[in-house]
Amino acid sequence: MTADLNWQEVNFDGLVGPTHNYAGLSVGNKASLSNANATSNPRAAARQGLAKMRLMLSLGVPQGILPPHQRPDPQLLAELGLPASATIDQVPGDLRSIAMSASAMWTANAATVSPSADTGDGRLHITPANLLTIAHRCVEPPQTTAILRTIFSDRHHFMVHEPLPRHSRFSDEGAANHNRVVGDHGQPAIHLFVYGREDGEDLGGPFPRRQTKLAGKLIADSHGLDPSRVVFARQSAKAIDAGAFHNDVVAVVNKTVVFYHEDAFERPLDSLLSEMPPDAPGIHAVQVGRERVPLDAAIRTYLFNSQLVSLPQGKMVLITPDNVNDEDSTRRCLEEIAADPNHPIAEVHTMNLRQSMRNGGGPACLRLRVAMAGPQRDALTGRVLATVSLLDELERWVDHHYRDVLTADDLGDPSLAEESGAALDELTQILQLGSLYPFQQ
Ligand code: SUG
């Protein structure tokens, strides 16, 4: 069945938006806080993202694209009590960075995805994340839902749910806390849902626990996942308090390989695995101990926020941010992996993603994994699967529309929003997505 249906995992990267900036909005995200009010370069950020997509294509890995959001978001303006005609300078000063944030670029937080091989009705199920813990991110779900419903519109193949309710009990950050462990993509998988707190728990701690177990449970049920193949793992308090605000900062899974830091989970991974049914795929756990890479170094460099992908010939490749070269321990760890001929990770590529990294977003944050059979890829709406010529076109579009300097003051300038609107209008034509944005309706 796998070979017949030509299953592939597509990484849908968020195209960095024209308002990419450093506002220091994410408590618990040390990079975001420490770069507050730095000057950003949206053009370089978008180009760095496109360069990552090019690398994936050159490796033979299918690449999808999710467009940025309209900013400011009209629903947010309405919820702030402003008229439909309001411009960003009418938003109170301290809320402007929230209204102009480009944070939808981190599509690992866009949604949780269950491929059709795992779901009750044999469709691909997607639940957009409610992202309600941090103010600027709770703005995202309506536009994310609209974008996903446009691209995954074919109801025969796809089901895009409503986000979970907007209350802290249902706090959900999407695929950044969800992993699919599978032999081949078209086979039934084990779903590993990672959470920071249980319903009703108030654990204190310096930083928020952004994901609840209840959220994962509701998503697993609504997608029709087999309960015996769903595992819930608590993220370690130590990791969250050290700045791993999402589990994908300290762990990454590809197929059956789990590459993770010793301090990622509250319980050892092998004890979690003992809960899996006997016919589940065997897991290849690649744990990196704290003696080898201290937790702080892993979080500073985003070693585990790498993309771990299988090439068409089966070889596994790790795409890491080049920040891993800033620390001896992480650099050495990768050198050892690359030098070991028996290691499941056969190759390591480093990429300059520093514009995104300064906001705490590495390679794995920038992508949403969607494993699909061939007919499902054919059923996607729009020109959202990358080719070299589409990436060339997008690069020209970025160069034409994006600023290369953006300061905190610029966010309150209505001309930035106007320029962004013109850019997004053209983007919907390039991607053939019709009247996608609120301003086009
Ligand atoms: O939610 N940063 C994002 C980074 C998201 C990373 N995603 C994953 N780990 N999957 C966040 O904290 C910073 C924006 C600012 O400060 O301007 C921000 O939203």
Side-chain angles (χ1 to χ4, degrees):
M1 158 179 151
T2 303
D4 291 346
L5 291 178
N6 187 17
W7 275 83
Q8 283 181 328
E9 183 179 80
V10 182
N11 287 278
F12 278 85
D13 277 45
L15 202 49
V16 176
T19 65
H20 160 70
N21 71 93
Y22 302 118
L25 295 173
S26 277
V27 62
N29 171 342
K30 290 184 169 173
S32 154
L33 295 184
S34 65
N35 289 302
N37 295 318
T39 298
S40 68
N41 181 339
R43 191 186 303 162
R47 278 177 148 270
Q48 288 171 2
L50 288 169
K52 180 164 84 71
M53 299 188 217
R54 274 188 204 284
L55 173 68
M56 298 300 268
L57 276 193
S58 73
L59 292 169
V61 179
Q63 179 66 54
I65 299 165
L66 292 175
H69 288 193
Q70 176 184 334
R71 289 291 174 263
D73 179 271
Q75 185 170 329
L76 174 72
L77 296 184
E79 288 172 2
L80 293 175
L82 293 163
S85 58
T87 48
I88 189 65
D89 49 335
Q90 291 169 259
V91 172
D94 61 331
L95 299 181
R96 285 180 193 159
S97 57
I98 289 177
M100 294 302 282
S101 177
S103 55
M105 65 201 267
W106 297 297
T107 53
N109 305 118
T112 303
V113 179
S114 299
S116 58
D118 306 334
T119 61
D121 65 2
R123 292 188 293 172
L124 174 87
H125 283 245
I126 304 179
T127 300
N130 60 21
L131 289 170
L132 54 82
T133 305
I134 313 270
H136 68 292
R137 302 220 61 181
C138 81
V139 178
E140 295 174 36
Q143 280 195 57
T144 299
T145 306
I147 289 169
L148 292 171
R149 286 201 171 137
T150 299
I151 295 173
F152 297 90
S153 62
D154 186 331
R155 295 294 291 255
H156 173 69
H157 288 293
F158 311 124
M159 172 66 197
V160 180
H161 294 258
E162 285 296 313
L164 293 174
R166 289 164 82 172
H167 183 276
S168 133
R169 290 184 64 186
F170 308 104
S171 194
D172 173 29
E173 302 269 327
N177 294 317
H178 170 247
N179 284 296
R180 184 169 182 258
V181 181
V182 70
D184 274 309
H185 287 300
Q187 294 170 350
I190 290 291
H191 288 256
L192 181 63
F193 285 87
V194 187
Y195 63 93
R197 64 186 159 91
E198 293 216 37
D199 189 22
E201 253 178 355
D202 180 4
L203 299 166
F207 298 143
R209 276 72 177 130
R210 294 200 199 180
Q211 182 86 33
T212 65
K213 185 176 181 183
L214 177 62
K217 172 98 183 63
L218 290 167
I219 291 169
D221 289 350
S222 67
H223 290 194
L225 301 182
D226 174 351
S228 72
R229 292 179 163 265
V230 175
V231 176
F232 292 96
R234 191 190 278 271
Q235 198 183 358
S236 83
K238 191 173 169 184
I240 297 175
D241 295 344
F245 52 95
H246 293 134
N247 177 249
D248 70 1
V249 174
V250 281
V252 58
V253 176
N254 179 53
K255 293 200 169 175
T256 57
V257 173
V258 188
F259 179 53
Y260 67 107
H261 192 270
E262 184 178 1
D263 291 323
F265 303 102
E266 197 71 49
R267 280 172 56 193
L269 197 58
D270 46 357
S271 76
L272 292 165
L273 305 188
S274 65
E275 293 169 11
M276 294 194 190
D279 62 337
I283 284 200
H284 194 143
V286 183
Q287 178 186 291
V288 176
R290 56 183 88 95
E291 301 292 318
R292 193 167 165 211
V293 175
L295 181 59
D296 282 352
I299 292 172
R300 268 196 302 277
T301 61
Y302 268 40
L303 170 65
F304 298 98
N305 197 257
S306 299
Q307 265 177 272
L308 188 55
V309 293
S310 293
L311 306 194
Q313 309 76 18
K315 186 161 83 172
M316 224 176 260
V317 173
L318 191 73
I319 320 290
T320 69
D322 64 6
N323 306 58
V324 292
N325 293 324
D326 297 350
E327 303 264 347
D328 287 343
S329 61
T330 49
R331 198 191 57 245
R332 263 200 310 270
C333 173
L334 290 172
E335 282 166 2
E336 283 160 20
I337 289 174
D340 177 354
N342 298 317
H343 202 281
I345 300 172
E347 249 176 51
V348 177
H349 291 258
T350 57
M351 292 237 60
N352 175 1
L353 290 166
R354 289 190 186 241
Q355 283 288 326
S356 171
M357 283 289 289
R358 283 184 201 120
N359 260 332
C365 301
L366 284 161
R367 61 93 172 97
L368 180 67
R369 286 172 291 188
V370 187
M372 283 185 282
Q376 295 170 336
R377 293 195 298 283
D378 293 341
L380 293 169
T381 298
R383 201 173 156 220
V384 293
L385 294 179
T387 59
V388 171
S389 68
L390 177 55
L391 295 180
D392 289 344
E393 208 173 324
L394 289 172
E395 206 158 276
R396 285 194 295 275
W397 168 81
V398 165
D399 288 349
H400 179 67
H401 289 284
Y402 281 44
R403 297 189 186 186
D404 57 1
V405 175
L406 202 61
T407 64
D409 284 346
D410 295 334
L411 296 179
D413 174 2
S415 63
L416 175 65
E418 275 166 35
E419 284 166 36
S420 304
L424 297 186
D425 203 27
E426 191 180 324
L427 181 66
T428 52
Q429 292 165 40
I430 297 174
L431 299 180
Q432 297 170 6
L433 287 173
S435 298
L436 180 68
Y437 292 108
F439 73 84
Q440 295 172 315
Q441 277 139 35

